[in-house]
Amino acid sequence: GAALAANAETIGSVSTTFKLLSPNDKVVVDVFDDPEVDGVACYLSHAKTGGYSGALGLAEDTSDAAVACRQVGAISFKGKIDKQDEVFNSRSSFLFKHVRVVRMVDAKRNTLVYLVYSDKLIDGSPKNSVTAVAVPSSQPIPVK
C-alpha cells in the first residue's frame, strides 16, 4: 500500500435534518488527489452526524459513502502502481476509519477503477460504489 498521505479538502455540505439547538446532520463532499497519479482527484460524499455527540466528535459517521474520481489535469504516474492498492486509508483522513478506497487497474481498457466500500457491515452487506477514470491510450498505465 501507499504510505503517501492524501490531503482532504472539503468542497461543501448540505444539511439533511434541522436540529434547533445543536449542529445539523449533514452530507459532506471532500476531495482527495490520488497520491500516486497526478491529474486524478476523487470526490467523496459521506454522512456526518450532527447533534451534541457529533459536535463533540463522538458520533460515528455512517458507512454511507459515494465516490466519483475524475481526470482533473494531465495524467502522469509517479512510478509503477500496483494492480490493486488501497489509495486512501485512515492515515489520509479520519474519514477513512471505516471507508476504504481501493484503486484497481483495468489494463485491457487502460482504465483506473476506484472502489469505495465500508468495512462496517450493515445487515451483512457492505455499502459500496465504483467509479472509473479512462487514461489516454497513448499513455499505458505502468503496472508493477
Side-chain angles (χ1 to χ4, degrees), residues 50-68:
Y52 289 113
S53 60
L56 298 171
L58 304 174
E60 275 283 315
D61 287 351
T62 65
S63 57
D64 278 316
V67 67

Side-chain angles (χ1 to χ4, degrees), residues 9-16 25-31 43-49 61 64 66 94-95:
E9 292 166 56
T10 297
I11 301 296
S13 66
V14 296
S15 290
T16 53
D25 292 342
K26 293 190 249 212
V27 175
V28 180
V29 175
D30 290 322
V31 62
Y43 294 88
L44 195 75
S45 67
H46 57 98
K48 196 163 188 156
T49 308
D61 287 351
D64 278 316
F94 73 91
L95 168 61

Side-chain angles (χ1 to χ4, degrees), residues 32-135:
F32 297 82
D33 294 309
D34 187 318
E36 292 182 71
V37 186
D38 284 328
V40 174
C42 292
Y43 294 88
L44 195 75
S45 67
H46 57 98
K48 196 163 188 156
T49 308
Y52 289 113
S53 60
L56 298 171
L58 304 174
E60 275 283 315
D61 287 351
T62 65
S63 57
D64 278 316
V67 67
C69 297
R70 295 292 180 266
Q71 179 176 349
V72 294
I75 291 182
S76 68
F77 295 88
K78 296 180 180 170
K80 292 195 167 188
I81 60 173
D82 289 316
K83 183 118 175 80
Q84 182 169 320
D85 195 14
E86 187 163 281
V87 198
F88 309 120
N89 55 34
S90 53
R91 285 192 305 270
S92 313
S93 165
F94 73 91
L95 168 61
F96 297 110
K97 188 166 142 196
H98 291 294
V99 173
R100 308 265 186 240
V101 181
V102 174
R103 182 200 323 105
M104 302 170 188
V105 177
D106 177 356
K108 183 177 171 188
R109 292 164 193 83
N110 212 51
T111 296
L112 299 169
V113 179
Y114 295 83
L115 169 70
V116 60
Y117 68 96
S118 170
D119 64 11
K120 277 173 85 177
L121 290 182
I122 311 287
D123 299 327
S125 169
K127 302 273 188 181
N128 62 87
S129 76
V130 70
T131 184
V133 176
V135 179

